[in-house]
């Protein structure tokens, strides 16, 4: 079955430190890949997406993600975290060329930022 | 252009009551989706529609019904609400592009509490 796994439920980093959030997918073929961010009580905001081409994808708010086919991973990174980055982050995947375009989400990683 | 609009934003129900959540999009999108979000479980797909007059089951369809009588509207119904249906519900829509840049647009969410 298709699935997206985020192994880290909760991560705490210090402000100014680097960040990496892990995401692995299990699909028959390489899916479209996405990272979303959700601040408390808010909706979902798309940070970045990967469809094809360059495996390092730049997003908004200084985030980037790297697609690694050999590891079935799409990890999110940021060189220097700001207090405003505290939120929940969701990795998601969609079948390439699928007739339904269903987006499947991971369970999320909650990021806390220490001063 | 309002994007994806969900009504109501908040609702409290008693067990056994029925209600309908309305999702409306003004982007002429073919695909529409209903997700529920629960702590530690990410977003799970309830039902979806690939076009007017069509609906299909997602990961967690039990206890819900949907209808897509008009292209712009996707209704999610609870016939007999249960406390397990306490959740935040998100609607989303998508248009499939030639370039394959398939990105979902999400509504702001509807918080439902079943007592």
């Amino acid at each position: 079955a298709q699935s997206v796994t985020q192994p880290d439920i909760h991560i705490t980093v210090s402000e100014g430190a680097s960040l990496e959030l892990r995401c692995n997918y299990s699909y028959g073929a390489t899916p479209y890949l996405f990272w979303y961010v959700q601040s408390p009580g808010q909706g979902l905001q798309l940070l970045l997406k990967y469809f094809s081409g360059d495996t390092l994808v730049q997003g908004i708010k200084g985030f980037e993600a790297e697609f690694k086919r050999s590891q079935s991973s799409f990890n999110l990174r940021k060189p220097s975290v700001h207090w405003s980055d505290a939120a929940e982050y969701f990795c998601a995947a969609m079948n390439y060329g699928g007739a339904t375009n269903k987006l499947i989400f991971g369970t999320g990683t909650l990021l806390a930022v220490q001063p | 252009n309002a994007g994806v609009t969900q009504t109501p934003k908040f609702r409290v129900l008693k067990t056994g009551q029925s209600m309908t959540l309305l999702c409306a999009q003004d982007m002429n999108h073919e695909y529409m989706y209903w997700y529920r979000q629960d702590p530690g479980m990410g977003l799970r797909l309830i039902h979806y529609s690939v076009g007017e007059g069509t609906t299909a089951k997602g990961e967690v369809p039990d206890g819900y019904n949907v209808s897509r009588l008009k292209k712009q509207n996707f209704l999610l119904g609870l016939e007999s609400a249960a406390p397990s249906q306490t959740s935040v519900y998100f609607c989303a829509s998508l248009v499939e592009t030639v370039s394959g840049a398939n990105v979902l647009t999400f509504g702001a969410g509807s918080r439902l509490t079943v007592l």
Side-chain angles (χ1 to χ4, degrees), chain A residues 23-25 33 66-75:
Chain A
C23 173
N24 294 94
Y25 63 89
L33 294 160
E66 184 172 15
F67 168 66
K68 292 186 177 180
R69 186 189 306 273
S70 62
Q71 299 178 15
S72 296
S73 69
F74 188 57
N75 294 349

Side-chain angles (χ1 to χ4, degrees), chain A residues 20 50 57 61 79 92 94 101 103 110:
Chain A
E20 181 168 27
Y50 172 78
V57 180
K61 304 185 178 186
M94 178 190 291
N101 291 297
L103 193 63
L110 188 61

Side-chain angles (χ1 to χ4, degrees), chain A residues 3-5 23-27 29-36 46-52 55 57 65-69 72-75 90-96 103-104, chain B residues 100 102-103:
Chain A
S3 66
V4 176
T5 303
C23 173
N24 294 94
Y25 63 89
S26 176
Y27 272 70
T30 300
Y32 296 147
L33 294 160
F34 306 81
W35 274 100
Y36 286 85
L46 180 68
L47 283 176
L48 47 78
K49 58 187 182 292
Y50 172 78
F51 292 135
S52 65
T55 57
V57 180
E66 184 172 15
F67 168 66
K68 292 186 177 180
R69 186 189 306 273
S72 296
S73 69
F74 188 57
N75 294 349
F90 294 95
C91 182
M94 178 190 291
N95 253 340
Y96 175 83
L103 193 63
I104 294 177
Chain B
N102 300 343
V103 178

Side-chain angles (χ1 to χ4, degrees), chain A residues 9 32 34 36 38 41-44 46 49 51 88 90 94-95 97-108, chain B residues 31 33 35 37 40-45 48 50 57-59 90 94 96 99-104 106-108 111:
Chain A
I9 296 172
Y32 296 147
F34 306 81
Y36 286 85
Q38 185 180 37
Q42 301 298 310
L44 292 153
L46 180 68
K49 58 187 182 292
F51 292 135
E88 191 158 22
F90 294 95
M94 178 190 291
N95 253 340
T100 61
N101 291 297
K102 288 188 292 182
L103 193 63
I104 294 177
F105 285 85
T107 52
Chain B
Y31 301 83
Y33 310 83
Y35 288 87
Q37 182 180 24
M41 305 191 77
L43 280 82
R44 294 178 293 167
L45 183 63
Y48 63 97
V50 300
K57 294 180 180 179
E59 303 170 72
F90 285 96
L94 174 150
E96 192 171 39
S99 67
N102 300 343
V103 178
L104 268 67
F106 281 88
R111 183 175 294 276

